[in-house]
Amino acid sequence: MSFCAGLSKGALRVHPDCERILISEEEIRAKVADIGRRISNDYAGKEVLMIGILKGAMIFLADLVREITVPVQYDFMAVSSYGASSKSSGEVRILKDLEYGVEGRHIIVVEDIVDTGLTLNYLAENLKSRDPASVKICTLLDKPSRRIEPVEIDYNGFVIPDEFVVGYGLDYSDRYRNFPYIMVLSPKVYMNEGE
Ligand code: PRP
């Protein structure tokens, strides 16, 4: 059984909002190191531009770039769908764009999770239209059961079931992003939403 430890590294303390830990700190660390090694091998002799999609990917990107041994630059984009109803229409707005052009650059888009695939589908097309040398996709989590648009993922951390997960960048109401593991959120946290 997995316990939901609090943020203190001391005695295990069950966090009241945690149903169970899905992916531990150790498992995340090993996976990030593995993806970092693969990227370093694949891009030997090249420089790579990692693009983190705010806010969720920030923590994964911060750990990942430190596992990469080829020259790396990183930048961020922020996007927003037009709310839940239009999310299914695939409309995505760019709230913050890249600082510089990406023409001729080797790009890796970094996400915390691919869910419906609508965000990455839009972003991949948008970035490809800017004439980069290459575009690859890297995500820590993949929830294929929720997919609406297909996404070709080049670096895939963990395939997960359709459960409400938070931690390591993922949030509920902007909370839990700082938890060092991925946990299934207890339904009691969101059950009475809207009441
Ligand atoms: C999440 C995640 C992806 C997107 C994936 O972001 O970080 O960007 O949703 O969902 P999709 O595959 O269904 O398009 P969210 O909108 O929750 O914003 P956040 O990163 O700021 O938490």
Side-chain angles (χ1 to χ4, degrees):
M1 154 162 195
S2 304
F3 291 95
C4 301
L7 287 175
S8 69
K9 301 257 179 204
L12 276 180
R13 200 158 38 83
V14 176
H15 192 285
D17 296 348
C18 175
E19 180 99 336
R20 68 179 200 282
I21 291 184
L22 188 66
I23 307 170
S24 70
E25 267 187 270
E26 291 70 28
E27 289 171 304
I28 293 173
R29 204 175 301 125
K31 186 64 78 175
V32 172
D34 177 56
I35 295 174
R37 266 192 302 272
R38 287 176 51 206
I39 290 175
S40 303
N41 287 333
D42 293 351
Y43 288 83
K46 296 174 184 154
E47 183 178 67
V48 64
L49 174 63
M50 316 280 291
I51 299 175
I53 310 305
L54 296 170
K55 299 177 192 173
M58 186 201 81
I59 295 190
F60 177 38
L61 179 74
D63 283 345
L64 182 58
V65 290
R66 285 177 284 182
E67 298 291 341
I68 294 175
T69 53
V70 296
V72 170
Q73 291 185 326
Y74 62 82
D75 201 348
F76 294 97
M77 288 180 82
V79 297
S80 160
S81 54
Y82 283 102
S85 58
S86 58
K87 192 157 190 180
S88 54
S89 71
E91 285 180 330
V92 176
R93 268 188 309 155
I94 294 180
L95 301 179
K96 182 214 171 298
D97 210 334
L98 299 169
E99 198 172 343
Y100 303 111
V102 296
E103 199 178 327
R105 307 291 310 272
H106 293 287
I107 295 174
I108 302 179
V109 183
V110 180
E111 269 287 21
D112 52 341
I113 186 165
V114 183
D115 193 353
T116 64
L118 294 171
T119 305
L120 267 181
N121 214 271
Y122 171 83
L123 276 176
E125 286 314 306
N126 181 291
L127 289 167
K128 278 177 193 161
S129 74
R130 304 183 194 193
D131 292 325
S134 64
V135 180
K136 285 193 181 181
I137 305 288
C138 174
T139 186
L140 181 69
L141 305 178
D142 176 19
K143 232 187 225 186
S145 56
R146 298 252 311 155
R147 202 73 95 246
I148 293 173
E149 291 284 346
V151 176
E152 226 173 277
I153 300 171
D154 301 281
Y155 304 100
N156 200 347
F158 301 93
V159 175
I160 60 165
D162 188 10
E163 293 189 277
F164 200 141
V165 291
V166 296
Y168 201 74
L170 290 104
D171 74 307
Y172 171 67
S173 285
D174 256 329
R175 299 194 180 92
Y176 312 103
R177 293 192 198 270
N178 60 322
F179 281 41
Y181 42 75
I182 307 280
M183 72 182 199
V184 176
L185 191 62
S186 170
K188 71 174 172 5
V189 178
Y190 51 88
M191 225 161 40
N192 301 323
E193 201 178 49
E195 273 184 6

